[in-house]
Amino acid sequence: MIEVRDYDPTWLDRFEERRAEFAVALGVASVAFVSIEHVGSTSVPGLAAKPVIDIDIVVESSNVNAASSVLVGLGFEPRGELGIPQRWAFWEPERIVGTNAYVVVVDSLALRNHLAVRETLRADRDLCAEYGKVKKRVGAA
């Protein structure tokens, strides 16, 4: 069984805490980044979701290794691309369980997909509600 919860407004707070931590760490290491994006179901107000915050650290391809090193320095464990080109996944340290972090190349298909799903669900409340029902049904199965 997969835990799927009703939307929790504290998910945005959790993202903002991680975003600030990542931005500071990247800045201290002098690693340029394009943006830090809250993606996945917890980024869509009103959508039921697993209580896991998905975060894309968006960088130019030349900064992937440096940004990845920053995450490792924060205690994240690198998992590689996991079959998705230009997106590197990291497992969270125990201190921030419930966070998926990714280093993603700007303009990559992986990033475009994350942002398109987020924006589509934010813009279409009916689709968002229907998707939330499906998530709950599948999670309970």
Side-chain angles (χ1 to χ4, degrees):
M1 184 167 160
I2 297 170
E3 179 185 12
V4 176
R5 296 184 189 169
D6 287 334
Y7 180 76
D8 183 342
T10 65
W11 291 338
L12 178 58
D13 298 333
R14 287 176 48 202
F15 163 72
E16 289 297 340
E17 289 172 8
R18 294 291 72 76
R19 185 197 59 71
E21 178 182 7
F22 293 166
V24 167
L26 290 161
V28 166
S30 298
V31 176
F33 61 95
V34 175
S35 64
I36 299 173
E37 300 286 341
H38 188 187
V39 296
S41 295
T42 61
S43 70
V44 180
L47 180 59
K50 294 182 296 183
V52 176
I53 309 303
D54 292 306
I55 301 171
D56 284 352
I57 299 172
V58 183
V59 298
E60 298 290 341
S61 59
S62 59
N63 287 323
V64 167
N65 289 337
S68 296
S69 292
V70 168
L71 283 178
V72 169
L74 293 172
F76 285 80
E77 179 184 337
R79 304 303 297 164
E81 286 184 305
L82 301 177
I84 300 176
Q86 298 186 305
R87 188 209 73 176
W88 291 266
F90 294 81
W91 282 356
E92 78 273 29
E94 281 190 37
R95 70 180 176 85
I96 53 171
V97 169
T99 302
N100 289 330
Y102 305 94
V103 172
V104 185
V105 174
V106 67
D107 294 326
S108 65
L109 180 59
L111 177 63
R112 290 193 314 265
N113 285 342
H114 272 170
L115 298 179
V117 169
R118 180 186 74 188
E119 295 310 311
T120 298
L121 290 170
R122 284 179 176 177
D124 188 334
R125 300 313 305 159
D126 292 336
L127 180 61
C128 179
E130 187 60 33
Y131 183 50
K133 289 177 190 174
V134 170
K135 290 175 68 89
K136 284 183 174 181
R137 194 168 49 248
V138 170

